[in-house]
Amino acid sequence: MGKQGRIKMVSFALFLVVLFQCKFLAVAILDPLDFLALQSIRKSLHDLPGSSFFASWDFTSDPCNFAGVYCDSDRVVALNLGDPRAGSPGLTGRIDAAIGKLSALAEFSIVPGRIYGSLPQSISQLKELRFLAISRNFISGDIPATLGQLRSLKTLDLSYNQLTGEIPRSIGTLPELTNVILCHNHLTGSVPPFLSQVLNRLDLKHNALTGSLAPDSLPPSLQSLSLSWNQLTGPVDRLLSRLDQLSYLDLSLNQFTGPIPGRLFSFPITNLQLERNLFSGSIQPADQVTISTVDLSHNRLSGQISPMFSSVQNLYLNNNRFTGQVPASIVDQLLSGNIQILYLQHNYLTGIEIKPTAEIPVSSSLCLQYNCMVPPVQTPCPFKAGNEKTRPTAQCTEWKG
């Protein structure tokens, strides 16, 4: 008899021991396939130094009492591997393909650690899976396109790994998705359309995604959208106009173009990050902006600054092409301490009504340098703003012309 045959006989013998114990105690008997799958999963994973998560995994006892194993009758329905407490060292090793044998599994997670290798294709056999979270490990390779077979999946979190390749279009077709978190990987290609009408969060930041977003590619149910630190292009005004449930939006550090829709500023957003793109045109919010932080810096925005921004707490409009006077209502809110950050440097502004003797609150920051005026007050600016106080006259004359 070969080595593999002997291992299977030992595993089956262990199962018989547990079966006898369960019968003696009149408790539910774990399904044999689940028992053998847990054994295979255990063999491929190990505690990192300082972790004792697997100490309770003694296969001569009932696996439903193991740490991280949750059963319903005779089936494993949830598998949460690793000590979830903050600072736990986590686990190392690979995810065994036997995970696909836990056919009743609805939840599968692994705490941050040093899990490596690719995501097993067999995960796509888990038709009951609703929650899949393996973040902050070293998972590599492509995201299996067969994950699109998990029609009950609600949360997909594979963030902070080393995944490559494209986001499979099949994932975008999953009808029950509420959270997709794939940030901090090395994913390439375009953002697929997401058809789920209950999608709340989409986080794809810090990848290498390219291409543009179609106006109907994301559902209006979205409340949090983060696509920053990619190489995405094209206009997004029609797309954004549809996403009126957004409470968080970060499209920074891309190459998006075109206008920013005025109605975006009336959405229930608390933090708006659109900096370092190629957005252009004027900004005309219809009503007073109640977003606490608005960052539109490092774009190609032009026209006059709207007084509707006077209620924003942290306002970054620097490094654009704004012209004209700074609205008096914005100055009033700055001097009263309601505006904490007002960055207007590196524009083409021609005036601001503020007395040289005006005292700006200690809690507030104002930067005006490198505009088409001499700043009436001297205030500390960020180091990156440079040393020049005023934009050269020739640039200002050319811009007016």
Side-chain angles (χ1 to χ4, degrees), residues 189-191 209-213 231-234 256:
S190 60
V191 177
L209 300 170
T210 55
S212 58
L213 301 173
Q231 299 159 32
L232 298 166
T233 57
F256 289 120

Side-chain angles (χ1 to χ4, degrees), residues 145-153 167-177 180 192-197 199 217:
T146 50
L147 291 187
Q149 298 172 18
L150 302 176
R151 308 307 287 177
S152 298
L153 195 65
I167 302 172
R169 292 181 68 87
S170 58
I171 289 177
T173 68
L174 294 174
E176 304 294 329
L177 275 181
V180 178
F194 284 87
L195 306 182
S196 169
Q197 295 303 304
L199 187 63
S217 60

Side-chain angles (χ1 to χ4, degrees), residues 31-42 44-45 75-77 79 81 94-108 110 118-129 132 134 144 146-147 149-150:
D31 180 276
L33 288 178
D34 284 18
F35 183 93
L36 295 173
L38 288 176
Q39 279 200 318
S40 296
I41 292 167
R42 170 65 186 93
S44 66
L45 296 174
R75 305 304 308 276
V76 177
V77 294
L79 189 59
L81 298 177
R94 295 175 177 268
I95 304 170
D96 194 274
I99 187 70
K101 300 294 185 182
L102 300 175
S103 57
L105 199 65
E107 180 177 322
F108 179 39
I110 303 179
S118 59
L119 210 58
Q121 293 276 352
S122 59
I123 288 180
S124 61
Q125 298 169 18
L126 304 175
K127 305 305 181 187
E128 304 298 320
L129 197 64
L132 176 58
I134 309 171
T146 50
L147 291 187
Q149 298 172 18
L150 302 176

Side-chain angles (χ1 to χ4, degrees), residues 1-13:
M1 182 183 297
K3 182 179 180 182
Q4 290 296 326
R6 290 195 299 273
I7 291 173
K8 287 183 178 179
M9 283 190 66
V10 171
S11 297
F12 188 67

Side-chain angles (χ1 to χ4, degrees), residues 247-260:
S247 60
Y248 180 85
L249 177 62
D250 186 355
L251 304 183
S252 60
L253 290 123
N254 280 286
Q255 298 168 35
F256 289 120
T257 56
I260 298 172

Side-chain angles (χ1 to χ4, degrees), residues 275-297:
E275 70 270 19
R276 295 186 183 274
N277 278 283
L278 302 173
F279 289 120
S280 59
S282 62
I283 304 292
Q284 299 297 332
D287 299 300
Q288 204 70 36
V289 179
T290 58
I291 304 170
S292 60
T293 297
V294 173
D295 194 341
L296 307 179
S297 64

Side-chain angles (χ1 to χ4, degrees), residues 38 41-57 67-69 79-85 87-96 108-117 133-139 161:
L38 288 176
I41 292 167
R42 170 65 186 93
K43 288 173 183 174
S44 66
L45 296 174
H46 310 281
D47 283 303
L48 283 170
S51 172
S52 58
F53 174 77
F54 282 124
S56 68
W57 283 49
V69 178
L79 189 59
N80 305 131
L81 298 177
D83 186 342
R85 292 176 295 184
S88 169
L91 309 174
T92 186
R94 295 175 177 268
I95 304 170
D96 194 274
F108 179 39
S109 67
I110 303 179
V111 301
R114 301 190 66 85
I115 305 298
Y116 55 88
I134 309 171
S135 66
R136 297 181 185 273
N137 278 279
F138 292 84
I139 303 294
N161 280 290

Side-chain angles (χ1 to χ4, degrees), residues 340-382:
Q340 294 187 354
I341 295 177
L342 180 60
Y343 281 177
L344 302 175
Q345 68 270 21
H346 286 259
N347 278 288
Y348 293 82
L349 298 169
T350 52
I352 180 171
E353 291 188 17
I354 185 170
K355 295 178 181 178
T357 57
E359 289 192 12
I360 296 170
V362 177
S363 60
S364 299
S365 297
L366 169 67
C367 185
L368 290 170
Q369 69 186 50
Y370 211 71
N371 276 285
C372 296
M373 61 177 174
V374 176
V377 289
Q378 300 302 315
T379 55
C381 285

